[in-house]
PDB file of all heavy atoms in Angstrom:
ATOM      1  N   PRO Z   6      18.105  74.758-102.986  1.00 48.00           N
ATOM      2  CA  PRO Z   6      18.700  75.423-101.844  1.00 48.00           C
ATOM      3  C   PRO Z   6      20.259  75.297-101.872  1.00 48.00           C
ATOM      4  O   PRO Z   6      20.778  74.313-102.399  1.00 48.00           O
ATOM      5  CB  PRO Z   6      18.131  74.759-100.695  1.00 48.00           C
ATOM      6  CG  PRO Z   6      17.797  73.351-101.126  1.00 48.00           C
ATOM      7  CD  PRO Z   6      17.314  73.510-102.589  1.00 48.00           C
ATOM      8  N   GLY Z  45      37.299  47.841 -54.269  1.00 77.00           N
ATOM      9  CA  GLY Z  45      37.952  47.691 -52.906  1.00 77.00           C
ATOM     10  C   GLY Z  45      36.972  47.977 -51.841  1.00 77.00           C
ATOM     11  O   GLY Z  45      37.086  47.434 -50.726  1.00 77.00           O
ATOM     12  N   HIS Z  51      34.345  44.819 -61.169  1.00 83.00           N
ATOM     13  CA  HIS Z  51      33.717  45.508 -62.242  1.00 83.00           C
ATOM     14  C   HIS Z  51      34.122  44.910 -63.630  1.00 83.00           C
ATOM     15  O   HIS Z  51      35.043  44.187 -63.697  1.00 83.00           O
ATOM     16  CB  HIS Z  51      34.091  47.071 -62.255  1.00 83.00           C
ATOM     17  CG  HIS Z  51      35.522  47.221 -62.637  1.00 83.00           C
ATOM     18  ND1 HIS Z  51      36.585  47.090 -61.838  1.00 83.00           N
ATOM     19  CD2 HIS Z  51      36.011  47.734 -63.855  1.00 83.00           C
ATOM     20  CE1 HIS Z  51      37.686  47.389 -62.481  1.00 83.00           C
ATOM     21  NE2 HIS Z  51      37.424  47.724 -63.730  1.00 83.00           N
ATOM     22  N   ASN Z  85      28.197  57.539 -52.556  1.00 80.00           N
ATOM     23  CA  ASN Z  85      27.091  56.512 -52.690  1.00 80.00           C
ATOM     24  C   ASN Z  85      27.420  55.275 -51.819  1.00 80.00           C
ATOM     25  O   ASN Z  85      26.509  54.830 -51.128  1.00 80.00           O
ATOM     26  CB  ASN Z  85      26.981  56.118 -54.169  1.00 80.00           C
ATOM     27  CG  ASN Z  85      26.023  57.081 -54.923  1.00 80.00           C
ATOM     28  OD1 ASN Z  85      25.528  58.010 -54.333  1.00 80.00           O
ATOM     29  ND2 ASN Z  85      25.807  56.781 -56.135  1.00 80.00           N
ATOM     30  N   ILE Z 161      49.627  72.171 -62.723  1.00 88.00           N
ATOM     31  CA  ILE Z 161      49.571  73.459 -61.963  1.00 88.00           C
ATOM     32  C   ILE Z 161      50.010  74.604 -62.881  1.00 88.00           C
ATOM     33  O   ILE Z 161      49.246  75.638 -62.963  1.00 88.00           O
ATOM     34  CB  ILE Z 161      50.474  73.378 -60.745  1.00 88.00           C
ATOM     35  CG1 ILE Z 161      49.896  72.359 -59.772  1.00 88.00           C
ATOM     36  CG2 ILE Z 161      50.493  74.710 -59.990  1.00 88.00           C
ATOM     37  CD1 ILE Z 161      50.760  72.087 -58.560  1.00 88.00           C
ATOM     38  N   GLN Z 217      81.461  23.966 -81.796  1.00 81.00           N
ATOM     39  CA  GLN Z 217      80.628  23.580 -82.971  1.00 81.00           C
ATOM     40  C   GLN Z 217      79.221  23.850 -82.819  1.00 81.00           C
ATOM     41  O   GLN Z 217      78.502  24.203 -83.823  1.00 81.00           O
ATOM     42  CB  GLN Z 217      80.909  22.144 -83.240  1.00 81.00           C
ATOM     43  CG  GLN Z 217      82.283  21.653 -83.720  1.00 81.00           C
ATOM     44  CD  GLN Z 217      83.235  21.562 -82.584  1.00 81.00           C
ATOM     45  OE1 GLN Z 217      82.903  21.353 -81.419  1.00 81.00           O
ATOM     46  NE2 GLN Z 217      84.549  21.699 -82.905  1.00 81.00           N
ATOM     47  N   LEU Z 283      68.456  26.200 -85.602  1.00 90.00           N
ATOM     48  CA  LEU Z 283      67.299  25.556 -85.155  1.00 90.00           C
ATOM     49  C   LEU Z 283      66.709  26.387 -84.059  1.00 90.00           C
ATOM     50  O   LEU Z 283      67.323  27.002 -83.232  1.00 90.00           O
ATOM     51  CB  LEU Z 283      67.670  24.135 -84.564  1.00 90.00           C
ATOM     52  CG  LEU Z 283      68.364  23.203 -85.560  1.00 90.00           C
ATOM     53  CD1 LEU Z 283      68.816  21.891 -84.742  1.00 90.00           C
ATOM     54  CD2 LEU Z 283      67.505  22.806 -86.745  1.00 90.00           C
ATOM     55  N   GLY Z 286      60.662  25.388 -79.009  1.00 88.00           N
ATOM     56  CA  GLY Z 286      59.725  25.863 -77.931  1.00 88.00           C
ATOM     57  C   GLY Z 286      59.110  27.205 -78.369  1.00 88.00           C
ATOM     58  O   GLY Z 286      58.696  27.929 -77.337  1.00 88.00           O
TER      59      GLY Z 286
END
Side-chain angles (χ1 to χ4, degrees):
H51 73 280
N85 272 2
I161 296 174
Q217 291 82 22
L283 304 173

